[in-house]
């Protein structure tokens, strides 16, 4: 499937590989299956997904914004969501389908990452999680994994946040923060539990 112009689809949707330097909007009352790689040969200009659950089977690449607003995002395989200059907004509970926690990587390039719903608290959870964003990583909900976590970019807490790598009885794994950690208001709380893993803090916290 090649995107041409601004495209919008609604309903029960199964999508294979998608390419084209245009914006794509998917609004589904049932669910959307992204079976193929999105933007593998030509990244999309932007991607907006709203409505029912979405199943991600591969990587997603855009030059502009990505937004996922619905009640559930399930990984079918380990996936990377990336943009070069836009923002990535997750407003859906994120977890893995099947019996194995899968890895999720978010890379917003020069943009920002907005985490508005919990990550790793659905189904079998998430294996490893990484977030990279030069303009900041805005965290408004809890993040749980069974594997390592890495944050490459300044952290901005939007509430009292729990970050752990001990999901579902896991023993823990390394959690690394490569930049500063601050709140968007005074008195924000942050709880980090790496279990038996290493906790690495590179930038100032609350400074």
């Amino acid at each position: 499937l090649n995107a041409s112009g601004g495209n919008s689809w609604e309903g029960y949707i199964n999508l294979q590989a998608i390419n084209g330097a245009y914006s794509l909007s998917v609004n589904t009352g049932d669910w959307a299956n992204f079976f193929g790689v999105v933007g593998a040969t030509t990244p999309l200009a932007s991607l907006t997904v709203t409505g029912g659950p979405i199943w991600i089977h591969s990587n997603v690449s855009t030059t502009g914004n990505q937004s996922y607003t619905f009640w559930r995002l399930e990984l079918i395989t380990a996936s990377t969501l990336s943009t070069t200059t836009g923002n990535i907004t997750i407003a859906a509970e994120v977890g893995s389908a099947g019996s194995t926690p899968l890895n999720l990587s978010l890379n917003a390039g020069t943009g920002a990452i907005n985490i508005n719903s919990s990550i790793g608290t659905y189904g079998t959870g998430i294996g490893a999680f990484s977030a990279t964003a030069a303009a900041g990583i805005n965290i408004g909900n809890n993040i749980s994994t069974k594997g390592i976590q890495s944050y490459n970019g300044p952290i901005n807490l939007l509430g009292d946040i729990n970050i752990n790598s001990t999901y579902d009885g896991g023993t823990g794994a390394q959690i690394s923060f490569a930049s500063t950690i601050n709140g968007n208001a005074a008195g924000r709380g942050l709880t980090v539990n790496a279990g038996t893993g290493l906790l690495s803090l590179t930038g100032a916290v609350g400074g």
Side-chain angles (χ1 to χ4, degrees):
L1 176 66
N2 292 306
S4 58
N7 286 274
S8 178
W9 290 303
E10 297 185 8
Y12 178 100
I13 300 169
N14 290 323
L15 297 169
Q16 299 296 328
I18 304 172
N19 291 285
Y22 299 95
S23 297
L24 174 63
S25 175
V26 178
N27 182 2
T28 170
D30 291 300
W31 60 75
N33 259 312
F34 285 82
F35 285 105
V37 181
V38 177
T41 56
T42 305
L44 304 189
S46 66
L47 175 65
T48 302
V49 186
T50 58
I54 179 172
W55 293 338
I56 300 289
H57 295 251
S58 195
N59 299 333
V60 177
S61 179
T62 62
T63 56
N65 294 338
Q66 293 181 36
S67 178
Y68 304 87
T69 305
F70 36 83
W71 60 278
R72 189 172 73 210
L73 186 155
E74 288 189 69
L75 301 180
I76 308 301
T77 61
S79 300
T80 297
L81 312 181
S82 64
T83 176
T84 52
T85 60
N87 300 329
I88 298 176
T89 299
I90 305 292
E93 187 179 19
V94 180
S96 301
S99 59
T100 302
L102 300 169
N103 299 342
L104 174 63
S105 176
L106 306 179
N107 189 339
T110 59
I113 292 173
N114 304 305
I115 299 172
N116 300 329
S117 295
S118 61
I119 289 182
T121 56
Y122 173 81
T124 52
I126 295 294
F129 175 71
S130 68
T132 301
I137 303 166
N138 303 307
I139 302 178
N141 215 311
N142 299 332
I143 300 173
S144 299
T145 63
K146 281 194 169 181
I148 64 173
Q149 296 183 35
S150 60
Y151 299 88
N152 303 293
I155 300 289
N156 183 36
L157 303 177
L158 306 182
D160 294 335
I161 302 299
N162 182 298
I163 295 175
N164 71 81
S165 56
T166 58
Y167 177 71
D168 196 28
T171 58
Q174 180 170 327
I175 300 177
S176 301
F177 298 93
S179 188
T180 57
I181 303 174
N182 289 286
N184 69 337
R188 296 299 191 199
L190 174 62
T191 301
V192 180
N193 182 3
T196 60
L198 176 69
L199 174 59
S200 174
L201 298 170
T202 301
V205 178

